[in-house]
Amino acid sequence: MTNPPDSNASREQFGIWLGMLARQWRAEVDRRLSPFILTEARWIILFRLSTADHDLTQKELARVAGVQGPTLVRTLDWLEEKGLIERREVPDDRRAKTVHLTAKAEPALRQIQAVIQGVRAQIFSDVSDEELEQCLAVFKKIGRQFDAFAGSAQDRDMIMVGRGKK
């Protein structure tokens, strides 16, 4: 099947729109959470920990949160200082640490969830379930194309980790 002549323009626009929308979405959540001293790096880490279905090592957390090592360490230091998380040594690998939420993180997590749900409701207010399902099908199809790249299937699995845990 050949693509219509103007489909190249759509393909060029796809990545631009995808990146822009992801940045706008995070920026809006960040803006709404800023009164609670939750920067993007902080709320994303707390959110990812809250939805994980297994204990995440710092390395796994960095990957699913899309954060580089030094930023992750600084953010974890801050979160630990505030009593929101704790790091534990992995019994089989003393160099690795898993990251765990504390009970003190619950109010922040409720705020994060409420803001994310509010942004989501506003963003999707005029998008039908059918349109959203079609969009997700395209994302999944494109994601399968990335499976040929080293680690991308693992990265996608990590992104989806714990869907619906809490």
Side-chain angles (χ1 to χ4, degrees):
M1 177 176 173
T2 59
N3 296 317
D6 65 346
S7 69
N8 284 335
S10 296
R11 284 170 171 67
E12 288 175 15
Q13 291 284 318
F14 182 85
I16 294 168
W17 275 97
L18 185 62
M20 180 183 66
L21 291 172
R23 282 189 303 277
Q24 288 177 326
W25 190 321
R26 287 190 315 268
E28 182 58 22
V29 172
D30 198 36
R31 184 187 69 76
R32 292 182 189 193
L33 287 172
S34 65
F36 305 101
I37 314 172
L38 288 172
T39 63
E40 180 179 345
R42 293 171 187 165
W43 67 259
I44 286 176
I45 287 170
L46 291 173
F47 178 73
R48 288 298 186 188
L49 286 170
S50 74
T51 59
D53 60 1
H54 68 279
D55 295 341
L56 296 177
T57 64
Q58 287 186 197
K59 184 177 180 179
E60 290 172 321
L61 183 55
R63 186 171 47 241
V64 300
V67 178
Q68 298 297 317
T71 301
L72 177 71
V73 170
R74 279 192 311 274
T75 304
L76 291 179
D77 287 346
W78 188 90
L79 293 169
E80 194 168 39
E81 180 183 307
K82 300 298 181 192
L84 302 175
I85 59 113
E86 63 181 22
R87 291 178 263 200
R88 300 179 194 155
E89 289 185 3
V90 175
D92 299 338
D93 184 356
R94 297 191 66 151
R95 296 170 298 165
K97 293 184 188 285
T98 54
V99 184
H100 304 266
L101 294 167
T102 66
K104 194 172 178 181
E106 285 302 317
L109 290 169
R110 283 192 297 276
Q111 190 64 46
I112 292 166
Q113 286 289 352
V115 166
I116 289 172
Q117 288 171 0
V119 170
R120 189 181 300 144
Q122 196 170 351
I123 289 171
F124 292 121
S125 64
D126 64 347
V127 177
S128 71
D129 288 345
E130 183 179 283
E131 289 171 315
L132 186 55
E133 288 301 321
Q134 187 175 16
C135 181
L136 288 172
V138 171
F139 284 170
K140 290 173 185 176
K141 186 181 253 187
I142 291 169
R144 286 190 295 273
Q145 297 300 318
F146 281 104
D147 287 347
F149 302 124
S152 65
Q154 182 181 2
D155 289 347
R156 189 176 62 250
D157 291 344
M158 291 299 296
I159 289 168
M160 300 306 291
V161 75
R163 296 247 336 177
K165 178 184 175 190
K166 289 193 176 187

